[in-house]
Amino acid sequence: MDPTTLNALSDGRRAVSLVHGRIIDGTTREPIDDGFVTLAEGRVAAVGAMGDQRRGDADAVVIDLGGKTVLPGLIDCHAHLVYRGFRSLEDVDRCTVELGMVNAILNAEALIGAGYTTVRDVGTIGNVAATVRDAIVAGRIAGPRVVASGQAICPTAGFADNLPAHWHGEHGFGAIANGPWEFVKEVRRQIKTGVDNIKIGASGVEVGPYAHSWMTTVTQEELTAAVGEAHRRGRTVAVHCQSYDSVKYSLRAGADTIEHGTRLDDEAVDLFRASDAILVPTLCTLFSVLQLGDKLNLLPKQRSEMAVNEALWLGSLRQAREAGIPIAAGGDIGNRFPHGTNARELEYLVSQGFTAHQAIIAATGTAARALRRERFIGTLAPGRFADLVVLDGDPLADIRQLQDQMRIAMVFKSARLVAGMVRQHLGLGRAETQGIGIDLLGERWRERH
Ligand SMILES: [Zn+2]
């Protein structure tokens, strides 16, 4: 590809037609073997089989993909931008906000390089996630679209309250609230700091010291109050749920996503089916402890609890899948496995009986629904933001190809080539992203009001 063409791709001023690619559009539709996608003004203008391509814009830059695969930009629904190789939540709390910001900037760049054009951060320190989101929107740093949460809201001795009492500070991983009104107050405080999503911890966790994952640590009243307030202000809610009751309380409260879902019983499955909530099973967090426990010298509590949870977790996922509950991909990345390897979650979904196509939908179309932003991202359809990945290979034949950096040929965000091997081969390095970002929360407001 000559530099003039590449410049045209990078500045987004000309329409781009990607032709002769295999198109996976993020829905259950069968892939198109020989297809095209046309991008213009930041959006997908047209997509379909080569035979259906009408005479395009004469000014469009045409790129022959020679059979490479085009798929929507990947979406990780459960990540923590401040995490970098952390073993436990105590590690998170020992990280300073300043170092967390450095981590987040590096992680954002790793994510976009790996074909992830949107990430939902589900718990930060300070207010790092929203700050990084805004810096990306302003074009000051490279990265995906970020759906930002604030600190994880939980009660005393809950999921995100991890350090001894004398150590507790204002800016750590947890925002501690007790009782419905304190939950409401914290939701309102976080809205003022600009978050898009509210993260609540409703059960304990393997990697925290005070609450076990099978313990429910909130009341129904606390959850109902917090979710109601978030929804009144147009924010989504993700709830950390590893105990039986935490799932049911969250679904009754109207949560948008259930994170982990380690323990599901029949009643929870029925509640799920009657709701529009989506399950984010976060298999990377399970398998990273099981696989790296020895190497990382994890505490006995963490490893033995995860060993107990393994069968329940995988059994619950199977039950959910068989019941037709929508499942979105999110690996809890930054916990042990590094950012940039987020597509490992898709490999684990396939190991648990998903087809490669279903795993891709979990990281695209269904992920966008989990974020309540399916009108903008997650599928290749006219009008959607032109966020897409060109993969040199066939992920339906081997889902692990999505983890292979050498195969990520091109990453487009808002129709601009922002990452991928094509850029690197031409020595262009990091993309100039000035003015490229689109604030997803803003788009959502505009749509609804
Ligand atoms: Zn998490």
Side-chain angles (χ1 to χ4, degrees):
M1 197 180 300
D2 65 274
T4 324
T5 307
L6 200 97
N7 275 338
L9 294 182
S10 296
D11 68 23
R13 275 195 280 267
R14 287 172 66 188
V16 176
S17 241
L18 303 172
V19 301
H20 296 299
R22 182 171 207 200
I23 314 288
I24 299 173
D25 72 359
T27 74
T28 53
R29 217 166 291 138
E30 279 302 304
I32 300 169
D33 277 330
D34 188 22
F36 75 97
V37 189
T38 304
L39 321 176
E41 291 169 12
R43 307 268 179 161
V44 173
V47 56
M50 284 308 292
D52 299 334
Q53 193 182 20
R54 276 175 283 150
R55 258 168 71 99
D57 185 345
D59 190 41
V61 179
V62 177
I63 297 176
D64 191 329
L65 296 180
K68 291 186 181 68
T69 303
V70 184
L71 56 160
L74 298 169
I75 301 171
D76 192 319
C77 292
H78 187 126
H80 300 271
L81 287 168
V82 296
Y83 289 13
R84 211 158 164 90
F86 292 157
R87 295 172 304 173
S88 69
L89 290 175
E90 290 158 274
D91 279 2
V92 179
D93 270 325
R94 290 195 178 92
C95 178
T96 61
V97 173
E98 293 80 0
L99 183 58
M101 178 59 84
V102 173
N103 289 346
I105 291 168
L106 295 171
N107 290 335
E109 196 165 356
L111 276 158
I112 194 79
Y116 276 80
T117 52
T118 301
V119 63
R120 182 176 65 168
D121 185 288
V122 285
T124 194
I125 55 178
N127 195 32
V128 169
T131 307
V132 166
R133 173 200 65 200
D134 293 347
I136 294 168
V137 167
R140 303 180 72 191
I141 57 174
R145 306 181 196 281
V146 177
V147 174
S149 303
Q151 295 162 276
I153 307 176
C154 82
T156 301
F159 145 84
D161 184 12
N162 293 303
L163 295 176
H166 68 274
W167 203 332
H168 189 70
E170 294 275 299
H171 307 290
F173 184 64
I176 309 304
N178 292 286
W181 292 116
E182 283 191 20
F183 271 74
V184 167
K185 185 177 180 185
E186 178 57 24
V187 168
R188 289 174 177 163
R189 189 194 68 79
Q190 292 195 5
I191 286 167
K192 192 174 173 184
T193 66
V195 304
D196 307 301
N197 179 71
I198 298 293
K199 170 71 178 296
I200 298 171
S203 76
V205 60
E206 300 89 356
V207 294
Y210 302 124
H212 290 283
S213 41
W214 53 83
M215 293 174 177
T216 303
T217 55
V218 297
T219 65
Q220 180 70 68
E221 291 77 6
E222 287 169 329
L223 268 179
T224 300
V227 174
E229 185 61 19
H231 282 175
R232 277 190 291 279
R233 304 294 294 260
R235 268 63 175 191
T236 53
V237 181
V239 191
H240 169 102
C241 297
Q242 295 195 266
S243 67
Y244 289 109
D245 280 345
S246 61
V247 174
K248 291 183 266 193
Y249 289 3
S250 301
L251 291 170
R252 288 195 189 104
D256 297 282
T257 59
I258 300 298
E259 308 300 308
H260 317 300
T262 307
R263 288 171 175 78
L264 298 182
D265 57 19
D266 291 343
E267 193 188 2
V269 169
D270 288 345
L271 283 166
F272 237 127
R273 292 168 77 170
S275 77
D276 61 354
I278 291 179
L279 175 65
V280 185
T282 68
L283 297 177
C284 283
T285 203
L286 165 66
F287 287 114
S288 63
V289 169
L290 296 176
Q291 288 169 16
L292 302 176
D294 262 335
K295 237 189 237 170
L296 297 177
N297 197 22
L298 296 183
L299 294 174
K301 174 187 183 289
Q302 300 164 354
R303 295 171 59 187
S304 60
E305 202 167 322
M306 199 61 100
V308 168
N309 284 351
E310 180 184 6
L312 291 161
W313 202 317
L314 300 179
S316 294
L317 176 59
R318 192 179 324 114
Q319 208 181 341
R321 188 164 60 84
E322 287 169 2
I325 292 167
I327 290 161
D332 218 346
I333 288 294
N335 267 323
R336 303 165 290 278
F337 291 148
H339 285 276
T341 67
N342 306 58
R344 198 192 282 260
E345 185 71 11
L346 279 62
E347 179 186 346
Y348 289 138
L349 287 171
V350 169
S351 81
Q352 297 308 310
F354 288 65
T355 65
H357 192 199
Q358 287 168 340
I360 289 169
I361 294 167
T364 53
T366 308
R369 281 169 56 204
L371 273 47
R372 309 307 192 202
R373 283 148 170 89
E374 67 273 18
R375 293 277 306 276
F376 310 113
I377 55 173
T379 50
L380 298 179
R384 299 283 188 278
F385 294 159
D387 293 358
L388 47 101
V389 178
V390 176
L391 184 84
D392 193 357
D394 178 9
L396 298 178
D398 181 0
I399 196 72
R400 290 171 304 180
Q401 289 184 3
L402 285 169
Q403 296 171 52
D404 183 352
Q405 206 84 85
M406 301 299 282
R407 288 182 181 274
I408 307 286
M410 296 186 246
V411 181
F412 288 87
K413 187 175 147 196
S414 291
R416 295 201 204 173
L417 182 68
V418 291
M421 295 313 294
V422 166
R423 284 193 67 89
Q424 285 191 27
H425 278 148
L426 288 157
L428 287 163
R430 213 166 100 169
E432 177 57 61
T433 56
Q434 190 69 43
I436 190 180
I438 295 174
D439 167 11
L440 277 173
L441 182 66
E443 287 294 317
R444 195 155 172 262
W445 287 128
R446 273 190 283 283
E447 182 204 8
R448 291 160 61 103
H449 301 283

